[in-house]
Amino acid sequence: MKFSTTIAAVASLIATASAHGGVGIYTIDGKDYQGWQPYNSASGQVTIQRQYSSFNPLLIADLTTVNIRCNNAGTLGTGVSAPVTAGSTIKTHWTQWTHRPAAVMIYMAKCPSSGCNSWDGAGKVWFKIDEEGLVSGTQNAGKWAGDQITDTLNWTTTVPASLAPGEYLIRHELLALHQANNPQFYPECAQLTVSGTGTASPPASALVSFPGAYSASDPGINFNIDGSAAMTATTYPIPGPPVWDGTGNSQPSNPEPSSAPSSAPSSAAAPSSAPTTLVTSAKPATPTTPAACTSAKYQQCGGKGFTGCTTCAAGSTCKANGDYYSQCL
Ligand SMILES: *[C@@H]1O[C@H](CO)[C@@H](O)[C@H](O)[C@H]1NC(C)=O
Ligand SMILES: [Cu+2]
């Protein structure tokens, strides 16, 4: 681990295209879509992927900039979107990837009615559809999600089957953790046209912004792969919100205090109340008071523009990190 960490550190100082990486091909409903090719001339490239300028990583300093959203030039589309049926898979193929201790996070955002192409993805619009960090073993020596990408260069995820049709961005992100307290972020975005019979859209409590979703003090970001804790810890706190569970209910509509976290991570642990209907959310006209709910540990609990739960689950407290992001820690 020490040895490979040193190699990687040297490699990233050189910052050649031979380290690092980016999504090169999307395979969607059986069809391949070539991604943006940052080392080719921009002229004539028409891809579903937002353009970006290199395979180099984004660093902690980029967390507060627009770069963290869709990489370093990824603000606008090139004119095309890939059709995908909700519930089907998207396989991504990285052009290259070498960092073993790495987490995988995949987000989507619904584009405005004018479409994705001239929309920059700003605002609290992003929801997480997939994540994997430490798979087994210890943080320092165990198996990580990124190992699969090092070995196969591929990752397959599923578009939530319940997701309402529309134009969306999908954001694939690798978070490389091989350097102590110096994480590297590798996000790329692409444009999708989702079809299907779903009617769900994520509740406000599941939405984050980029920048805003992460802060430098998040335990999964201010993270030391070579520290003593990493020698024994067998879980890793993946940054950002929990994966959206695919249900379309919006903010909790009844103010009864409850011990259940408001946005339960996807699992069979359904709340005791009646099954959630995906069709309509209650009380269309009444603005929701975000007080009577709790955010789970590591979830956002405040910041400018935040409309979710501001009370933290027992055992955690809401800590501000700048004006735009507070987190239950
Ligand atoms: C990864 O994906 C590429 C492109 O779809 C494919 O050619 C290759 O066989 C895949 N590799 C593995 C190990 O699955
Ligand atoms: Cu790298």
Side-chain angles (χ1 to χ4, degrees), residues 87-218:
S88 67
T89 58
I90 294 183
K91 176 179 156 189
T92 32
H93 176 76
W94 274 258
T95 305
Q96 54 182 45
W97 184 250
T98 53
H99 301 306
R100 280 195 179 271
V104 177
M105 292 172 277
I106 304 173
Y107 295 81
M108 291 179 74
K110 181 141 200 211
C111 302
S113 51
S114 52
C116 296
N117 209 45
S118 55
W119 181 58
D120 66 2
K124 286 193 60 171
V125 292
W126 296 91
F127 53 98
K128 198 186 261 174
I129 63 163
D130 193 10
E131 66 177 12
E132 194 161 353
L134 182 60
V135 176
S136 60
T138 65
Q139 289 175 348
N140 180 268
K143 180 170 174 247
W144 287 77
D147 294 11
Q148 180 190 319
I149 297 172
T150 307
D151 294 341
T152 70
L153 293 174
N154 295 329
W155 187 269
T156 298
T157 197
T158 302
V159 175
S162 62
L163 188 65
E167 304 290 322
Y168 289 85
L169 293 179
I170 189 166
R171 176 182 179 276
H172 283 76
E173 178 178 33
L174 302 182
L175 167 50
L177 300 161
H178 55 291
Q179 295 177 349
N181 304 105
N182 190 17
Q184 301 183 342
F185 304 85
Y186 298 86
E188 290 91 32
C189 298
Q191 300 184 178
L192 302 175
T193 302
V194 175
S195 61
T197 55
T199 55
S201 51
S205 59
L207 299 175
V208 296
S209 62
F210 288 101
Y214 307 155
S215 84
S217 61
D218 290 352

Side-chain angles (χ1 to χ4, degrees), residues 8 21 38 76 78 196 252 255 320:
L76 298 173
T78 68

Side-chain angles (χ1 to χ4, degrees), residues 59-65 68 185 211-212 214-216 221:
L59 304 174
I60 283 182
D62 295 295
L63 284 185
T64 52
T65 75
I68 193 66
F185 304 85
Y214 307 155
S215 84
I221 290 176

